[in-house]
Amino acid sequence: MKKLAPSVLSLCQQLVRVPSFSGDEKLAADIAARALRDLGFDDVRADTYGNVIAIRRGARPGKTILLDAHLDVVPVTNRDEWTRDPFSGELADGKVWGRGACDDKGPLAAMICAAASIPRAELAGQIIVSASVCEENLTGAAFAHILDQHPADFVIVGEPTELKLGVAQKGRAGIVVHARGKSAHTSRPELGDNAVYKMLEVVNRVRALELPSDPQLGRSIIELTEIVSEPLPGAGFVPHACHARFVERMLPEASREHIGAQWNDIVAGIAGITWEFDELAQRCYTGAMLATLDFIAGWRANETWVGKLCDALRAAGLPGETFAAPFGTNASASAACGIPTFILGPGSIEQAHIVDEWIAVEELAMGERAYRELIRAAIR
C-alpha cells in the first residue's frame, strides 16, 4: 500500500508532539526528514549540527531558492497555567495547540508542503528546504553554516508574520560590561573602590543616550537584562567586581564597528570598565559545538523585489502587505551575504512563546499557498 504524504496539518501536529528545545531537536529533525523523503525530495540529510537539509531539483537549470524555518522551541514556562498539554498537538477550535505550533513548526510544515507541491516541470533550478537548529538561542549561527554549504539566489525565512511579507529587520547585539574595583570592609568603604557604583555610571549613560529611530522599524533599544556583583553573596564586602549584560536592538545602518564605537564612547573615562560582545555556544544534538558572537545585523530588502512579491501574494488572494521585524531571525545570516531575503509565515508573533501557544488551521493552509507563490515569483 502506498504511503500517504503528510498534509500541512498532520505534519504540524507531528512536529508539535515532540519536544525540541535548543540542542535537543533530534526527534523533530527525524520527523521533518521523514516528511521530506515521503514528499519526494531528491536529497535529504542532516549536517554536522543537525540541520535537516533537503533538495528538490527542477526540470531545467535556474536559481537556487532556499526556504528555512527552525526546529527548536523555547522552554515551557508557567506549566501549571497551560490548559492543554504543551506537546499534544491537539486540534480544537480550528487551531493546533502546543509549544512551537506558531514558532516555528507551523511555518516549517507549510514550507515543506509548499516546496513539494510545485510540479518539477514548472521548476527551473532547485528548491532547498532547511529545518535549522538552535535558532532560539543562537539566532543565525546554524543557518550561516547551511548557507556556506548551499549558496542561494533567494531566501525565505519562515517566522510568524500574519502572512505579511517581512521586508526589514532590526539587528541584535549582546553586550557584556565588566567593572573592576577594590574590596574592603563595609565599615570602611573609603578603603575600597565599589565596582557597582562604576557600573551604575555606565547604566546612567546608557539610559541618557538619544538613540536613533526609523519610521519602518521604530526606535533603537538598549536594555539592561542582568547585573551581578562580586563577591556574591556580598554581606560585609565592598564589591570588587560587577558584571552587566545589555541587549541592543539596532537599525540596519548600525554595523558591528558602529556598535563598538558606541560602547567605547559609553564607557570612556570610567576607570576599571571594559566591555565585549557576548559569546554564545550550544552543544547540538549531534554532539557538535555551535558557537557565535552575539551580533546579528539588521537589514532592509530591495524595493524591486518587494513590489514583485507583494503583487504575487495579492494575485493569490493573500494580504500582500509588508512587515518590519523588531526581533531577530535567521534572515540576518542570508541578508548579510547580500542574498535577497524575506520573512513570512502563518501565525502572529503575539502567539509565540506564550502559555497555550497555538496556530490556526486556516492560516496553515494559507501559509502553504503563500510560500508556493513566493517560490514561483522568485524563480521567474
Side-chain angles (χ1 to χ4, degrees):
M1 183 175 179
K2 186 177 178 181
K3 191 172 183 179
L4 292 175
S7 68
V8 64
L9 173 58
S10 67
L11 181 52
C12 178
Q13 289 181 289
Q14 290 174 53
L15 289 166
V16 172
R17 285 170 183 152
V18 294
S20 57
F21 307 121
S22 301
D24 192 20
E25 301 96 338
K26 187 178 188 310
L27 294 176
D30 289 345
I31 290 170
R34 183 168 61 248
L36 288 157
R37 292 189 184 101
D38 289 347
L39 287 164
F41 279 73
D42 300 307
D43 181 20
V44 181
R45 64 180 182 84
D47 69 7
T48 301
Y49 301 101
N51 300 301
V52 177
I53 302 164
I55 300 173
R56 189 161 185 264
R57 300 181 183 90
R60 56 193 186 280
K63 297 176 182 177
T64 294
I65 312 300
L66 197 161
L67 293 82
D68 173 76
H70 60 90
L71 289 162
D72 59 320
V73 300
V74 296
V76 176
T77 55
N78 305 99
R79 181 64 183 85
D80 58 338
E81 295 179 15
W82 287 69
T83 62
R84 293 176 167 85
D85 183 338
F87 301 107
S88 68
E90 180 184 349
L91 178 61
D93 302 323
K95 303 170 182 176
V96 176
W97 298 84
R99 175 57 84 223
C102 174
D103 184 19
D104 198 28
K105 293 177 175 181
L108 175 60
M111 191 172 271
I112 289 172
C113 293
S117 69
I118 297 177
R120 287 185 192 271
E122 290 184 23
L123 181 57
Q126 62 181 1
I127 302 172
I128 301 176
V129 173
S130 60
S132 53
V133 299
C134 297
E135 188 272 351
E136 291 289 1
N137 60 345
L138 278 77
T139 303
F143 189 45
H145 288 283
I146 295 170
L147 292 165
D148 286 343
Q149 300 301 314
H150 300 278
D153 298 299
F154 186 91
V155 168
I156 304 166
V157 170
E159 290 281 356
T161 69
E162 302 177 88
L163 295 173
K164 297 174 183 177
L165 186 68
V167 299
Q169 179 191 303
K170 277 185 177 176
R172 181 190 185 280
I175 307 295
V176 179
V177 181
H178 307 281
R180 296 191 313 275
K182 181 181 176 183
S183 183
H185 196 283
T186 51
S187 68
R188 294 295 305 277
E190 72 277 8
L191 299 179
D193 185 13
N194 193 318
V196 173
Y197 294 151
K198 297 182 179 188
M199 190 64 75
L200 291 177
E201 175 60 24
V202 174
V203 173
N204 288 334
R205 290 185 183 189
V206 168
R207 298 190 72 187
L209 286 174
E210 292 187 13
L211 296 171
S213 188
D214 177 87
Q216 188 178 37
L217 285 160
R219 186 176 63 87
S220 295
I221 294 168
I222 305 178
E223 188 67 12
L224 173 67
T225 61
E226 179 183 306
I227 187 165
V228 63
S229 60
E230 294 182 34
L232 190 69
F237 288 92
V238 170
H240 68 267
C242 185
H243 313 281
R245 191 181 308 274
F246 296 83
V247 173
E248 184 158 1
R249 304 280 181 174
M250 60 277 188
L251 301 179
E253 293 71 28
S255 66
R256 182 174 158 186
E257 292 72 23
H258 174 93
I259 298 303
Q262 175 194 62
W263 278 93
N264 286 339
D265 288 343
I266 290 170
V267 305
I270 309 176
I273 293 286
T274 59
W275 73 272
E276 61 189 344
F277 288 105
D278 200 5
E279 294 185 1
L280 307 175
Q282 171 71 58
R283 187 170 297 281
C284 300
Y285 74 83
T286 60
M289 184 64 73
L290 183 63
T292 187
L293 204 64
D294 192 1
F295 180 90
I296 57 173
W299 54 272
R300 299 181 200 274
N302 180 282
E303 286 298 325
T304 303
W305 271 112
V306 173
K308 179 179 180 180
L309 297 177
C310 285
D311 286 346
L313 291 169
R314 283 191 287 266
L318 295 158
E321 300 174 23
T322 59
F323 168 80
F327 49 85
T329 75
N330 276 349
S332 284
S334 50
C337 297
I339 304 169
T341 299
F342 295 88
I343 310 168
L344 184 137
S348 166
I349 196 63
E350 294 177 2
Q351 296 156 222
H353 300 193
I354 63 169
V355 169
D356 285 338
E357 184 176 343
W358 59 273
I359 192 165
V361 174
E362 182 181 10
E363 280 217 12
L364 278 175
M366 292 172 68
E368 181 180 355
R369 189 162 84 246
Y371 289 132
R372 188 162 49 241
E373 294 309 313
L374 290 179
I375 293 167
R376 284 174 168 154
I379 61 178
R380 291 192 192 110

